[in-house]
């Protein structure tokens, strides 16, 4: 259920944020050319207002269910009835992950970590339709003998990357695999929605990305050794320093990855990110080549 006052309160908050964004743009025009506070607020407003409409969440659940048809062990509730203020879903049995965690044996923890990571990688690289709120409270474990289902709830926030930002994500992950941040930096700079600096600034950005990727992968690519979300946050900071603008959805996706990465590290810090991401990444690169990237 959506409380009758929820939408009006969100709209009040959005109006205040829009005013602040306009004020910031007037007071710091050069900085806001890159940070784009107006664009960030509009992206936030779109997501929050969509999440106030249960018909949007019902459609998101239907799409996620279609995307995961044939994927064993990952379950989304079925929307049965929806209006703008009400959503009736199938009841899904299960134990919240944060409650189940203390009693899981090491082997089950490894299986849960791998299944959750692979679900996120599929959303990112295969479907470009990402559940944006994958914290432990939205994940249930439903056991059936020696196997289990990972039940994913609350699809009120979903993310779709633009073709440019999706290519940037794929290039960044490819750069981590190859330890070649230089190439990723060149491609991101070439596709940026805004570049406020000159060629020297672009070259400095490319050098910084190359260093970031090499530093991040020097110890390995298990979840214990590689902080993916921290690396992506460093990339966003480098973009700001060198006046290269990325779309707001890029940052939102970084947050989604950070949440799943944190859960995965709790469950299995030895999980090999490269081994799990490799097949998804390879298929995404082949598909991109066919589409003329």
């Amino acid at each position: 259920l959506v409380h009758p006052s929820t939408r009006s309160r969100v709209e009040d908050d959005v109006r205040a944020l829009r005013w602040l964004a306009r004020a910031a743009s007037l007071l710091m025009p050069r900085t806001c050319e890159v940070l784009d506070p107006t664009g960030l607020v509009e992206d936030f407003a779109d997501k929050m207002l969509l999440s106030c409409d249960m018909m949007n969440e019902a459609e998101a659940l239907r799409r996620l269910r279609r995307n995961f048809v044939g994927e064993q062990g990952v379950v989304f509730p079925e929307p049965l009835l929806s209006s703008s203020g009400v959503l009736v879903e199938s009841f899904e049995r299960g134990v919240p992950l944060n409650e189940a965690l203390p009693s899981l044996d090491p082997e089950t923890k490894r299986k849960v970590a791998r299944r959750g990571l692979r679900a996120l990688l599929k959303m990112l690289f295969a479907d470009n339709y990402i559940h944006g709120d994958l914290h432990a409270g939205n994940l249930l474990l439903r056991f059936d003998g020696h196997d289990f289902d990972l039940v994913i709830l609350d699809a009120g926030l979903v993310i779709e990357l633009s073709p440019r930002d999706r290519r940037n994500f794929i290039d960044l992950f490819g750069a981590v695999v190859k330890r070649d941040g230089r190439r990723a930096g060149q491609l991101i700079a070439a596709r940026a929605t805004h570049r406020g600096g000159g060629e020297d600034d672009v070259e400095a950005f490319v050098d910084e990305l190359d260093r970031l990727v090499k530093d991040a992968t020097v110890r390995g690519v298990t979840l214990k050794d590689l902080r993916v979300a921290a690396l992506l946050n460093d990339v966003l900071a480098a973009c700001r320093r060198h006046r290269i603008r990325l779309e707001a959805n890029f940052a939102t996706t970084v947050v989604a990855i950070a949440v799943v990465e944190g859960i995965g590290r709790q469950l299995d810090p030895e999980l090999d990110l490269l081994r799990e991401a490799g097949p998804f990444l390879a298929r995404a690169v082949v598909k991109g080549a066919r589409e003329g990237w």
Side-chain angles (χ1 to χ4, degrees), residues 55-264:
M55 294 183 72
N56 290 315
E57 182 165 349
E59 178 53 35
L61 283 171
R62 281 190 283 269
R63 185 164 169 185
L64 286 163
R65 284 170 61 85
R66 286 195 302 271
N67 289 346
F68 278 81
V69 165
E71 291 288 324
Q72 291 281 333
V74 178
V75 175
F76 295 89
E78 180 183 2
L80 304 174
L81 180 68
S82 64
S83 67
S84 60
V86 177
L87 173 59
V88 180
E89 304 173 3
S90 59
F91 178 75
E92 302 295 339
R93 294 180 298 103
V95 181
L97 178 59
N98 48 5
E99 292 181 19
L101 192 58
S103 62
L104 297 180
D105 61 80
E107 180 60 25
T108 303
K109 285 183 179 180
R110 285 191 287 272
K111 289 179 178 178
V112 173
R114 185 170 185 264
R115 191 166 297 178
L117 178 60
R118 288 178 64 83
L120 176 65
L121 292 169
K122 180 179 174 358
M123 293 179 202
L124 269 172
F125 293 126
D127 305 331
N128 190 26
Y129 198 71
I130 306 147
H131 189 301
D133 200 16
L134 286 169
H135 60 79
N138 281 340
L139 303 174
L140 305 180
L141 294 180
R142 181 167 62 209
F143 291 95
D144 182 12
H146 295 295
D147 202 1
F148 66 91
D149 288 328
L150 179 64
V151 183
I152 302 178
L153 308 175
D154 188 4
L157 176 61
V158 291
I159 306 160
E160 287 184 84
L161 294 173
S162 70
R164 175 179 49 238
D165 276 352
R166 186 160 182 263
R167 290 197 298 269
N168 283 340
F169 248 107
I170 290 168
D171 290 337
L172 265 176
F173 269 82
V176 172
V177 170
K178 299 174 184 174
R179 298 197 70 214
D180 182 10
R182 192 167 183 79
R183 178 61 176 160
Q186 290 167 343
L187 292 170
I188 290 172
R191 298 173 188 145
T193 57
H194 174 85
R195 279 169 38 189
E199 289 305 313
D200 289 347
D201 216 24
V202 170
E203 188 59 30
F205 170 74
V206 169
D207 288 342
E208 183 168 355
L209 244 65
D210 192 44
R211 178 183 57 77
L212 286 173
V213 168
K214 284 183 169 59
D215 288 350
T217 57
V218 68
R219 289 190 300 272
V221 290
T222 65
L223 288 181
K224 178 180 68 176
D225 299 319
L226 175 61
R227 300 298 198 259
V228 178
L231 170 60
L232 294 173
N233 272 318
D234 287 342
V235 170
L236 291 174
C239 287
R240 289 194 296 272
R241 279 193 294 276
H242 299 287
R243 309 187 60 74
I244 291 171
R245 183 196 295 171
L246 298 176
E247 293 182 12
N249 261 351
F250 197 101
T252 309
T253 307
V254 170
V255 174
I257 291 171
V259 173
V260 175
E261 183 186 23
I263 295 171

